[in-house]
């Protein structure tokens, strides 16, 4: 019997489940990455490893996921459609499975025009729904061409959703397609409007999805402004920015805000996904305060 | 309409190299409408080359420079063309290729333009890309808006997470293609088209180079 995903076990058991994101290094010096993994060990159910996040070239998410496994932290291997065609994606998925990775998160991927290799060819051979379907096929022992494989995968398959997307209906249609394609858990874009998220959640749960609400640690008011200006799909409300601006220690305030959001989510949601963006050492504190 | 834009003068001069005679080809179709290869642009090019010490042996402005028979006829009837040290073509890549196929073996042919896209003409002088010649048209189910072309990521099953306030993450001045598709389908009462799973594109239908031979 293959070892099962602990993330899946945790979500299936009904325990409020926390994941957090760690960004791989921009090079081969992995000490800081491994250090963060050690800090998070035992505090979270699984750690997401981003895949050339914001189209900036980094250590591969597959290799980084294996580093987490070695540290005894269960990885969520993130894979985007931006850098690989359907052959590379499927073969990397098979590779991830044999290396012991059990969770995968399928994303579209930020466009190359945001990144550090703006001249690169953006692939998008598959889109995120097709990617979910491709991984689901591998989970059923077949490739995208429906050809039987000599051993398939058994990934706990996740995708993302933006509950605060405006307009929301196109996003909701795509969410339904991801569920239909085989996505079982969803990590959401940062949630700032909790009332709106509460309206989104029952519908998502109704479709059978496990939802981990996204929490983005605001390190400072400056960062919040930066996010609003530069990060697609993230909108930090003015009230939170004001709260940060008025605080003597903005990072401390940001941690408090994140803990508050986490407390709110605990009341009704399946779990939370914490994106600390370089400040992963604060994740245990956020959890502790919540 | 094939859209072209002018290469920088410096780039053309660098590629041309040392002082010989040059022959010019314009194109009376797309390039003329783009204001990159009509009579005026051919004249400008001629002046620019002369200012930089080149001799211009002559010029031709064909109705369609991508049309092999027209180009071949031009080479036959025009001896100065065959004698020119090099040929500069103010047309799309198809025009450059056609001229190159007819040029002498030792006669370099240079593009004066970059060919950028296939456009719908909104009105004179305003061109927008709406088709990327993929060979597998889905415009019926996307209400005439091509997601493969108008979405910078070419997504086929709905908007990406970067869509914000209905706008595209790559060009925030532009409405997300999938939001536009959604709005049109909604008005048509055909949202089911968007709810249906769209399988990955079949790129085997567009293996390059493509050709069509009717006879």
């Amino acid at each position: 019997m293959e070892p099962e995903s602990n993330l899946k076990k945790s979500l299936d058991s009904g325990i409020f489940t926390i994941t957090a994101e760690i960004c791989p290094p921009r090079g081969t010096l992995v000490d800081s990455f491994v250090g963060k993994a050690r800090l998070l060990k035992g505090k979270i159910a699984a750690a997401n490893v981003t895949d050339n996040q914001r189209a900036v070239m980094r250590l591969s998410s597959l290799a980084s996921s294996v580093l987490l496994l070695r540290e005894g932290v269960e990885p969520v291997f993130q894979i985007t459609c931006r850098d690989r065609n359907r052959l590379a994606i499927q073969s990397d998925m098979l590779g991830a499975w044999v290396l012991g990775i059990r969770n995968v998160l399928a994303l579209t991927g930020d466009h190359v025009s945001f990144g550090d290799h703006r001249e690169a060819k953006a692939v998008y051979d598959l889109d995120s729904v097709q990617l979910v379907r491709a991984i689901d096929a591998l989970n059923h022992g077949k490739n995208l061409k429906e050809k039987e494989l000599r051993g398939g995968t058994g990934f706990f398959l996740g995708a993302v959703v933006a509950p605060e997307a405006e307009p929301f209906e196109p996003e909701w249609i795509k969410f339904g397609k991801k569920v239909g394609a085989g996505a079982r858990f969803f990590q959401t874009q940062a949630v700032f409007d909790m009332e709106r998220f509460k309206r989104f959640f029952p519908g998502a749960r109704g479709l059978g999805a496990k939802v981990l609400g996204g929490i983005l640690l605001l390190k400072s008011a400056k960062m919040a402004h930066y996010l609003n200006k530069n990060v697609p799909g993230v909108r930090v409300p003015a009230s939170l920015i004001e709260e940060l601006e008025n605080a003597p220690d903005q990072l401390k305030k940001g941690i408090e805000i994140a803990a508050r959001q986490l407390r709110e989510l605990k009341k009704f949601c399946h779990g939370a996904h914490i994106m600390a963006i370089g400040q992963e050492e604060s994740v245990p504190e956020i959890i502790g305060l919540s | 309409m094939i859209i072209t834009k002018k290469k920088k003068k410096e780039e053309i001069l660098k590629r041309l190299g040392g002082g010989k005679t040059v022959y010019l080809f314009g194109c009376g179709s797309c390039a003329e409408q783009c204001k990159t290869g009509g009579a005026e642009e051919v004249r400008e090019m001629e002046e620019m080359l002369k200012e930089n010490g080149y001799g211009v042996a002559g010029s031709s402005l064909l109705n369609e420079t991508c049309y092999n028979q027209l180009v071949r006829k031009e080479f036959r009837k025009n001896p100065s063309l065959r004698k020119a040290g090099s040929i500069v073509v103010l047309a799309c890549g198809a025009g450059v290729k056609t001229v190159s196929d007819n040029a002498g073996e030792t006669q370099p042919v240079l593009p004066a333009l970059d060919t950028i896209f296939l456009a719908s003409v909104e009105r004179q002088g305003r061109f927008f890309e709406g088709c990327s010649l993929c060979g597998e048209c889905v415009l019926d189910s996307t209400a005439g808006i091509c997601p493969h072309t108008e979405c910078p990521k070419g997504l086929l099953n709905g908007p990406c997470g970067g869509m914000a306030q209905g706008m595209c993450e790559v060009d925030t001045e532009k409405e997300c293609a999938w939001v536009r598709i959604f709005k049109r389908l909604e008005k048509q009462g055909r949202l089911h088209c968007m709810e249906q799973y769209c399988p990955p594109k079949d790129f085997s239908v567009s293996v390059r180079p493509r050709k069509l031979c009717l006879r």
Side-chain angles (χ1 to χ4, degrees):
Chain A
M1 181 71 191
E2 298 278 0
E4 211 192 335
S5 154
N6 286 317
L7 177 61
K8 179 177 188 298
K9 270 191 237 164
S10 176
L11 283 166
D12 283 348
S13 71
I15 299 169
F16 186 82
T17 302
I18 300 174
T19 56
E21 170 181 295
I22 319 181
C23 191
R26 227 190 280 194
T28 54
L29 297 179
V30 297
D31 47 336
S32 159
F33 177 82
V34 169
K36 284 168 179 176
R38 285 179 188 154
L39 270 175
L40 296 180
K41 189 177 175 180
K43 307 279 196 313
I44 54 173
N48 283 54
V49 183
T50 52
D51 181 15
N52 291 336
Q53 189 173 15
R54 294 209 36 79
V56 172
M57 193 282 292
R58 290 171 181 276
L59 183 65
S60 80
S61 54
L62 179 52
S64 304
S65 294
V66 172
L67 291 179
L68 289 190
L69 279 176
R70 284 190 201 156
E71 293 302 320
V73 175
E74 184 171 295
V76 178
F77 169 36
Q78 295 197 179
I79 186 156
T80 74
C81 302
R82 182 193 52 235
D83 308 329
R84 304 168 179 81
N85 72 3
R86 61 194 84 175
L87 276 88
I89 284 174
Q90 293 180 90
S91 106
D92 273 355
M93 293 318 298
L94 298 180
W97 179 257
V98 300
L99 290 170
I101 293 160
R102 295 296 173 257
N103 310 302
V104 56
L105 188 80
L107 308 98
T108 306
D110 296 320
H111 196 264
V112 290
S113 60
F114 290 97
D116 64 346
H117 287 65
R118 289 169 195 221
E119 311 78 8
K121 178 170 183 173
V123 180
Y124 302 112
D125 183 28
L126 303 179
D127 67 24
S128 57
V129 179
Q130 295 156 354
L131 171 58
V132 169
R133 194 127 149 175
I135 301 168
D136 189 61
L138 300 178
N139 276 349
H140 287 89
K142 291 177 178 173
N143 69 11
L144 249 184
K145 301 294 291 177
E146 311 255 316
K147 197 168 162 88
E148 206 78 38
L149 298 165
R150 279 196 65 223
T153 61
F155 289 114
F156 187 38
L157 176 49
V160 295
V161 63
E164 293 180 15
E166 190 60 53
F168 182 62
E169 212 171 336
E171 176 72 11
W172 179 251
I173 291 173
K174 193 163 186 180
F175 174 75
K177 285 163 109 168
K178 286 178 178 175
V179 175
R184 294 290 165 262
F185 75 93
F186 284 81
Q187 290 171 315
T188 80
Q189 183 56 277
V191 176
F192 289 109
D193 184 344
M194 202 53 82
E195 291 313 307
R196 207 173 150 170
F197 186 74
K198 279 179 188 164
R199 291 196 294 276
F200 157 80
F201 179 73
R205 185 182 51 198
L207 289 178
K210 298 288 184 192
V211 179
L212 294 99
I215 293 177
L216 198 155
L217 173 62
L218 299 167
K219 290 183 268 189
S220 64
K222 196 177 148 200
M223 177 197 183
H225 285 298
Y226 177 85
L227 292 170
N228 281 349
K229 207 172 154 216
N230 298 298
V231 178
V234 175
R235 287 199 87 76
V236 185
S239 60
L240 284 186
I241 297 180
E242 203 179 319
E243 214 181 320
L244 287 163
E245 272 165 354
N246 294 333
D249 182 342
Q250 296 202 358
L251 174 61
K252 190 162 168 265
K253 176 53 78 180
I255 291 169
E256 277 171 34
I257 292 171
R260 193 166 76 207
Q261 291 166 333
L262 188 51
R263 268 198 303 280
E264 279 297 309
L265 286 174
K266 277 182 179 173
K267 290 177 191 163
F268 64 92
C269 199
H270 297 131
H273 176 55
I274 304 173
M275 294 165 274
I277 316 182
Q279 189 62 37
E280 288 81 5
E281 53 271 33
S282 298
V283 170
E285 195 181 346
I286 295 170
I287 297 169
L289 282 173
S290 69
Chain B
M1 166 93 53
I2 307 290
I3 306 303
T4 46
K5 65 171 189 190
K6 293 178 184 171
K7 280 186 182 291
K8 284 197 181 108
K9 172 176 109 177
E10 296 75 21
E11 189 186 340
I12 294 169
L13 290 173
K14 194 176 154 197
R15 290 187 185 211
L16 264 174
K20 283 181 184 172
T21 51
V22 178
Y23 192 94
L24 303 176
F25 266 95
C27 179
S29 301
C30 310
E32 183 169 272
Q33 290 213 41
C34 288
K35 299 196 179 302
T36 51
E40 201 182 318
E41 291 76 37
V42 170
R43 198 166 47 245
E44 276 173 17
M45 180 62 70
E46 191 172 335
E47 280 164 22
M48 189 277 279
L49 290 173
K50 282 179 180 164
E51 276 168 25
N52 286 280
Y54 288 90
V56 175
S59 64
S60 304
L61 182 62
L62 303 181
N63 282 341
E64 287 150 324
T65 308
C66 59
Y67 205 139
N68 187 56
Q69 277 167 314
L70 292 180
V71 174
R72 195 169 59 196
K73 212 162 112 190
E74 201 68 10
F75 271 89
R76 276 202 195 129
K77 73 173 193 199
N78 196 340
S80 66
L81 174 44
R82 265 174 293 163
K83 283 184 208 138
S86 50
I87 301 171
V88 171
V89 183
L90 292 82
C92 72
V96 180
K97 178 233 170 354
T98 310
V99 173
S100 301
D101 287 350
N102 284 283
E105 281 173 1
T106 58
Q107 198 172 32
V109 177
L110 282 89
L113 311 178
D114 285 316
T115 309
I116 45 184
F117 62 95
L118 172 69
S120 304
V121 185
E122 188 195 65
R123 58 187 140 90
Q124 210 181 358
R126 285 179 63 83
F127 311 108
F128 294 90
E129 186 176 23
C131 169
S132 40
L133 312 169
C134 74
E136 205 187 25
C137 197
V138 296
L139 284 175
D140 58 320
S141 56
T142 57
I145 299 162
C146 175
H148 186 61
T149 307
E150 299 213 33
C151 166
K153 300 179 182 176
L155 306 180
L156 300 179
N157 279 289
C160 74
M163 182 275 288
Q165 309 304 306
M167 307 306 268
C168 172
E169 79 168 21
V170 177
D171 179 356
T172 52
E173 306 276 293
K174 194 176 181 292
E175 193 174 18
C176 164
W178 272 105
V179 170
R180 287 168 55 216
I181 293 168
F182 169 79
K183 284 180 180 169
R184 273 200 197 170
L185 286 174
E186 192 180 34
K187 275 189 200 139
Q188 295 174 356
R190 293 169 66 227
L191 275 179
H192 62 273
C193 291
M194 191 168 159
E195 285 158 4
Q196 245 163 27
Y197 170 71
C198 179
K201 265 200 110 48
D202 177 1
F203 286 97
S204 72
V205 300
S206 52
V207 172
R208 283 177 169 149
R210 293 178 266 185
K211 63 179 178 184
L212 172 69
C213 299
L214 297 178
R215 60 194 179 102

